[in-house]
Amino acid sequence: MDRNSVTGLALIALIMIVWLQFMSPAKKPLPAPQAAKTEQTGIQAPQEQPSAVPLTASFGAFANAANGKERLLKLENDLFRATLSSKGATLKSLVLKKHLDGNRKPFDLVTNGSKGALSLLFQTREGKKIDTRDLYFSSVTADTLHTITGQQTYTVSYHLDVAPGQAVDITYLFSGQSYKVDYDVKLTGFASELAGNEYQLQWDGGLAYSELNRKDESMNALSSAYLGGSLVKLDASKENQLYREEESGEAKWVAVRNKYFVSALIPQGRTSGIYLEGRKTAGNEFENYLVALKTGVPSTGGVVDNRYSLYVGPLDYNTVKSMKVGLEKIMDFGWDWLTRPFAEFIILPVFNWMNTFVGNYGLIIIIFAFLIKLVTYPLSMASTKSMKKMAALQPLMKELQEKYKDNPAKMQSELGRIYKEAGVNPLGGCLPVLLQMPLLFAMFYVFRSSIQLRQHSFLWAKDLSVPDSIFNFGFSIPMYGEHIAVFPILMAVTVFVQQKITPTAQTNDQMKVMTYMFPAMMLLFFNNMPAGLGLYYLMFNIFSVAQQFYINKTTATTAVVPAVNTGKSATQPSGKKKKGGDKK
């Protein structure tokens, strides 16, 4: 073991010791509950008295609840199949019905299936740290299997008697057609009984990965919180390193996400803070997260009733936005001040509108590319005319550059005069392209992360959310990847053709090299991008080539040659002649 590893382990041990002294959510099983579970096996023997002491030492007033029998309830609605456990009143499994993994098989979003994902965490006045997943609740319902659909609802209630006048009640409310689950916590008789006068509701275990490309999914996995009008993110990007983020304030939600799915805890009342924790598992790219909401418990009063909502489902923009708590902010659309407005107010609304009458997402992408090309046609026309004027002025530009090569200031002055007389802006060919860049960048972000494209096929592409690979090498080529994708190749060809037919003011060797380098760069960049993104840029370029052919045919070169007075450029100004004559 090297020095860095020893140092890292020492720091982790120190963090755990501090944690044991001060109340903080922990992702790993606590030493005390672990000991309790070890003793729990012995409790099942006839001699229960010897085990009573360790249970009391670990759980205090909750010792009687640390032993019992677990009962599972499987519940199914139109969207998922969930498994609840009376041990911890927790969620142990949630399998989506309309979304499959990369192998087209059902998968469980809950990774911590042995203990469950949901729990309450708090510390008693006597110093006992309690995770409700170690306690056995009684279930009000005797059902072991229940199905709801449509507008139906179903309530699951769990009750835990702690001591006379003290109880914990947890209630789930499921709906037939919703990913949202209402989650209520009722504490009776705990005023002034909890250290810090607060408890924490936590989701532990992150979210299971669903895609074949685990490295790509790891790059999109993170935990986040929204409080004080700002977004807090925690990304466990480095292996074997513990990440923590803790803040005080009123939170709208805490959540953990992977590339296409999210689990969020949403309070219906005030909170006192949030806690985020993450660690990346070495070797398999999995990022394990714990997220928690802190809620205060008044020091006076007999009953505390707090209501929450749990959302575990697809990271679909319209669905998460309907929660009306800003959960859509966890979606990455690039720069908030530039590309995000294009994504939220232009691209996604138009996409959803077209989806109402076009069912194939490949066709939607093609139509969308055509619409964008129509909208940007005036910019393309202005760019082409500007480039043609600049091309027509090239002979004169070269003459001026040769004549005033020893007088840069004079050359710039003459160039400015000619640009003004010809009505040409040197940036006129680039400006329209720059104006389109925010939209194109926004398309990149939307198509890269949109769940709408996931597992939808078009032509040879079986899944528009992953590269349209037709052949795998079995090894990786630097910068290119380990497969051959068709859309990037076709796109590179269209980029080359478009450059060939587009007028340019530059004809030097560097521009000739770029004619070949730029398509190659695009090929390398898009080979590992989603097929939907490659299809969009391919179709956009095809429409651009057709548009350029039309503009070139309808705009004659002689018609755009600007009329420029070159008299002053042929001879020196009269003032200089006179001055020179006087000197002679």
Side-chain angles (χ1 to χ4, degrees), residues 415-424 562-566 568:
L415 287 176
R417 178 184 63 83
I418 291 176
Y419 287 152
K420 184 176 180 180
E421 292 181 3
V424 173
V564 178
N565 181 9
T566 59
K568 292 183 180 181

Side-chain angles (χ1 to χ4, degrees), residues 55 61 65 84 144 181 186-187 230 301 307 313 359 420 472 479 583:
L55 282 176
L84 302 178
T144 58
V181 179
K186 183 179 179 181
L187 303 178
S230 62
R307 299 186 176 185
K420 184 176 180 180
N472 291 319
M479 298 180 64
K583 284 183 178 182

Side-chain angles (χ1 to χ4, degrees), residues 388-440:
K388 283 196 171 187
K389 286 183 179 181
M390 290 295 296
L393 290 174
Q394 280 305 297
L396 183 56
M397 299 296 102
K398 290 183 178 181
E399 181 183 340
L400 288 174
Q401 291 171 359
E402 180 65 26
K403 185 172 184 178
Y404 297 109
K405 61 183 179 181
D406 297 328
N407 191 349
K410 181 62 177 177
M411 181 178 66
Q412 291 299 323
S413 176
E414 287 297 305
L415 287 176
R417 178 184 63 83
I418 291 176
Y419 287 152
K420 184 176 180 180
E421 292 181 3
V424 173
N425 184 351
L427 299 178
C430 301
L431 188 59
V433 176
L434 293 177
L435 293 175
Q436 297 178 52
M437 292 308 292
L439 179 62
L440 297 179

Side-chain angles (χ1 to χ4, degrees), residues 503-554:
T504 177
Q506 301 292 332
T507 57
N508 52 38
D509 292 337
Q510 291 181 348
M511 291 302 298
K512 292 180 180 179
V513 172
M514 284 303 298
T515 303
Y516 295 93
M517 284 190 60
F518 188 61
M521 291 168 57
M522 297 294 283
L523 172 61
L524 294 175
F525 180 75
F526 278 90
N527 190 64
N528 295 296
M529 290 294 160
L533 190 64
L535 174 61
Y536 169 78
Y537 280 103
L538 168 63
M539 297 309 302
F540 187 85
N541 288 341
I542 289 176
F543 294 139
S544 297
V545 169
Q547 185 183 82
Q548 195 64 55
F549 270 119
Y550 173 77
I551 293 175
N552 290 345
K553 185 176 181 180
T554 56

